Amino acid sequence: MHTHVEQPVFDQPFWDNLYTEQAQRWSGNANPVLVTEVSKLTPGSALDIGSGEGGDARWLADHGWTTTGADISEVALQRARDEQGDRNIEWLHRDLLEWEPTSRYDLVTAHFFQLPAHQTGPAFQRFGRAVAPGGHLLIVGHSPNDHLASQHKHSQLLFDVDAITSLFDDAEWTTVVAEDRPRPAVDPDGTPAERMDVVVLLRRAAS
């Protein structure tokens, strides 16, 4: 019997519903890879794509970046505004499947941005076009080699390092980091486990 795998539709109702299920969806802390990689960069302007409840954007603002967060979920953005304090962060409500940023940023970062495969490449290329000359693009996702993510019902959304680096022309982009990176975590049953993230950091040519 042929079973049809339902492709998820990551639209605003999907994400608003996901956030509404819990008073706080994420930890509120910045993603470890963001802290590790961005700490090495000179602060400038930053765009956090899929900013969610604002953990990464708050960290960026606290570390000298002029920060913009963009998300499809108005629920998540309102939570981010509520937690912003006196930080200067601009929040944009955007459909990230379609949005073409008009500004340029010294850093564009997208963490665990999951799309059907045919949309992943075009989206990351759009985000890359928002990187200013000399700036950086940081993309982090669950690795296909991650034991939990590979068993997930949406495992077809996973991408490896090559799927990202191949989108960007070597003449214009330098690969700074492209690797599977282990991350200590805890499995759903509470046992310590190692998760595996895809980490790609690219630098755009200065001229």
Side-chain angles (χ1 to χ4, degrees):
M1 179 178 156
H2 182 72
T3 55
H4 176 67
V5 178
E6 194 62 41
Q7 283 281 2
V9 178
F10 295 115
D11 54 9
Q12 182 173 345
F14 171 90
W15 287 109
D16 280 346
N17 184 56
L18 191 77
Y19 283 107
T20 305
E21 285 172 3
Q22 291 170 253
Q24 183 178 344
R25 185 82 205 176
W26 313 118
S27 70
N29 300 323
N31 280 296
V33 171
L34 181 86
V35 175
T36 299
E37 297 304 328
V38 176
S39 293
K40 304 169 190 173
L41 306 179
T42 304
S45 57
L47 172 63
D48 182 22
I49 302 248
S51 51
E53 291 165 328
D56 284 355
R58 288 193 295 275
W59 185 92
L60 288 164
D62 286 343
H63 289 80
W65 293 83
T66 304
T67 305
T68 301
D71 204 278
I72 194 172
S73 169
E74 192 56 66
V75 176
L77 287 167
Q78 188 54 54
R79 289 184 189 172
R81 290 186 196 100
D82 292 344
E83 294 294 321
Q84 165 174 358
D86 59 2
R87 298 175 183 91
N88 182 16
I89 304 173
E90 180 185 10
W91 303 106
L92 302 176
H93 181 221
R94 298 288 185 270
D95 180 348
L96 304 176
L97 297 180
E98 305 286 340
W99 181 47
E100 180 92 44
T102 51
S103 300
R104 295 289 172 267
Y105 302 87
D106 300 309
L107 171 68
V108 175
T109 172
H111 285 256
F112 306 110
F113 194 82
Q114 295 176 313
L115 294 174
H118 68 281
Q119 292 177 320
T120 302
F124 288 150
Q125 286 174 319
R126 267 187 289 118
F127 304 156
R129 288 195 288 273
V131 176
H136 289 80
L137 176 66
L138 176 62
I139 294 174
V140 180
H142 295 297
S143 170
N145 299 317
D146 181 287
H147 72 289
L148 274 184
S150 62
Q151 299 164 17
H152 194 270
K153 62 183 177 184
H154 298 327
S155 61
Q156 78 277 11
L157 305 180
L158 302 178
F159 49 79
D160 60 18
V161 166
D162 294 341
I164 302 172
T165 56
S166 64
L167 297 169
F168 296 94
D169 180 0
D170 291 348
E172 190 181 2
W173 295 88
T174 303
T175 301
V176 182
V177 179
E179 65 187 27
D180 267 8
R181 182 175 298 180
R183 164 171 56 90
V186 177
D187 273 352
D189 63 4
T191 55
E194 187 175 81
R195 303 299 303 271
M196 195 69 74
D197 296 331
V198 168
V199 180
V200 176
L201 179 65
L202 303 170
R203 184 175 65 247
R204 192 170 198 169
S207 54

